[in-house]
Amino acid sequence: MKLVVVSAGLSVPSSTRLLADRLSTAVRGRTPVDVEMVELRELAVEIAQNFTNGFPGRRLAAALEAVTEADGLIVVTPVFSASYSGLFKSFFDVLERDALAGKPVLIAATGGTARHSLVLDHALRPLFSYLRAVVVPTGVYAASEDWGAEGLPERIDRAAGELTTLMQGLTGTTRPTRADDLKVVPFTEQLAALRPTG
């Protein structure tokens, strides 16, 4: 299985990248996956050029293909002005319309204060629901004070478990590509279908 991690951190080192690494490590600890990291700061110029000329550069095209072909995604953004960063949104704006349909996605964000934690449910979850991805129930937000504190490792582990379950259940299935073939299935029904019977 292929797991692609999209990190929109801008600094080096980056708390956004650190959270992305911890989440991918937690998934890798549960199931064998090939992990590919997509650092959006390295693609910023190509993303902007794609908006103006309509064509992705070589590295952006490779990143878009990786996301499209992935069995599951982890997406992590820093919080800017109470929402995801512009760079993060721009990357998903240039992605093909049906690329995420039916794809399991774990959403995560970092910020300087816990007051921004609602970004998961008020910005990220609606975005990926609109893109028709299957968003895992547990999102992971890490404020500055969360690093090394209780709670964050447990949230990471729970979210990784949910993503792993969905990835294992969807491997080998054909994802819908046409809008009229899509059927919205509640997450509880998806999990129930994956549980062994008897």
Side-chain angles (χ1 to χ4, degrees):
M1 287 191 297
K2 182 178 180 181
L3 173 67
V4 173
V5 184
V6 178
S7 172
L10 298 178
S11 59
V12 180
S14 162
S15 61
T16 302
R17 173 61 190 265
L18 177 59
L19 181 57
D21 287 340
R22 291 202 180 174
L23 288 164
S24 61
T25 298
V27 173
R28 192 187 287 124
R30 291 173 170 269
T31 189
V33 288
D34 295 322
V35 178
E36 181 173 345
M37 180 67 66
V38 174
E39 286 275 12
L40 296 188
R41 66 182 174 78
E42 298 173 358
L43 302 173
V45 172
E46 290 190 24
I47 292 171
Q49 289 172 339
N50 193 150
F51 278 110
T52 58
N53 64 25
F55 298 99
R58 180 181 53 82
R59 293 196 307 166
L60 176 58
L64 294 172
E65 181 180 3
V67 167
T68 301
E69 298 299 321
D71 295 299
L73 292 179
I74 294 173
V75 297
V76 192
T77 180
V79 175
F80 291 162
S81 301
S83 188
Y84 38 67
S85 72
L87 179 60
F88 181 86
K89 178 64 161 54
S90 295
F91 176 76
F92 290 101
D93 282 344
V94 300
L95 194 63
E96 287 293 326
R97 180 171 168 266
D98 293 321
L100 299 187
K103 195 181 301 293
V105 177
L106 191 167
I107 56 173
T110 58
T113 171
R115 290 194 300 270
H116 289 303
S117 62
L118 290 177
V119 70
L120 294 173
D121 291 320
H122 289 275
L124 286 165
R125 198 173 297 278
L127 170 62
F128 288 96
S129 294
Y130 173 78
L131 296 172
R132 291 176 290 140
V134 181
V135 184
V136 303
T138 301
V140 180
Y141 178 82
S144 299
E145 64 265 25
D146 288 330
W147 298 103
E150 292 183 12
L152 181 59
E154 289 77 13
R155 292 197 305 275
I156 288 172
D157 190 58
R158 183 168 64 248
E162 292 167 356
L163 180 63
T164 302
T165 298
L166 281 177
M167 288 176 65
Q168 290 172 337
L170 293 176
T171 297
T173 63
T174 302
R175 292 192 182 94
T177 55
R178 295 187 345 204
D180 56 353
D181 289 337
L182 294 174
K183 177 184 175 187
V184 177
V185 180
F187 185 77
T188 52
E189 290 183 24
Q190 296 174 38
L191 284 181
L194 298 175
R195 292 193 187 104
T197 57

